[in-house]
Amino acid sequence: MGQETIRTLISAIGGAVMTGIFGVWLQRLKNQGSNENIYADHTNDLFKRLDRITNERDDLKEQVIELKAQVQNLNIVIDSLNEQMASLTAQLNEFTKQEEEEK
């Protein structure tokens, strides 16, 4: 092989490598632009969904607070009913004891 052939091969290989590098670089730039456009197109939808989900979460928090208050009130009622049951049970035991003593 002559010197001219070697120079031609090196030039062709170097050109191919440079073309490949620039091709990859340009493709990345193109993809980045496409991705940014996709995100830009869907940003409003994403914010709307986020707002809706946030509102739903806030509504559920309010419901949880209301339900906790109801549970607290019901616990107070249950405690009151337990005291009444204890009082009635004591009265019944006393009445039963009096009945047995009279027999």
Side-chain angles (χ1 to χ4, degrees):
M1 281 198 200
Q3 235 178 359
E4 193 62 34
T5 306
I6 292 174
R7 283 185 189 157
T8 304
L9 283 173
I10 290 174
S11 176
I13 291 172
V17 169
M18 292 297 283
T19 302
I21 290 172
F22 282 116
V24 169
W25 180 62
L26 289 173
Q27 187 62 41
R28 284 189 179 180
L29 288 176
K30 182 181 175 185
N31 287 343
Q32 184 179 4
S34 297
N35 290 343
E36 288 174 2
N37 289 336
I38 290 170
Y39 292 133
D41 290 343
H42 296 288
T43 300
N44 288 334
D45 294 336
L46 293 173
F47 281 127
K48 287 178 185 176
R49 285 181 62 199
L50 184 61
D51 287 341
R52 189 185 79 237
I53 290 170
T54 303
N55 290 335
E56 287 176 3
R57 184 203 62 198
D58 291 344
D59 291 343
L60 290 173
K61 279 185 177 181
E62 289 175 11
Q63 289 178 11
V64 166
I65 291 169
E66 291 173 4
L67 289 173
K68 282 183 178 180
Q70 289 179 6
V71 166
Q72 226 171 7
N73 290 337
L74 290 174
N75 282 335
I76 292 170
V77 169
I78 289 170
D79 290 341
S80 173
L81 290 173
N82 282 335
E83 289 174 7
Q84 289 179 9
M85 284 293 295
S87 173
L88 290 172
T89 302
Q91 289 176 9
L92 181 62
N93 287 341
E94 186 178 320
F95 178 74
T96 305
K97 185 177 180 182
Q98 287 177 358
E99 285 292 317
E100 287 177 359
E101 287 177 359
E102 289 179 4
K103 286 186 181 182

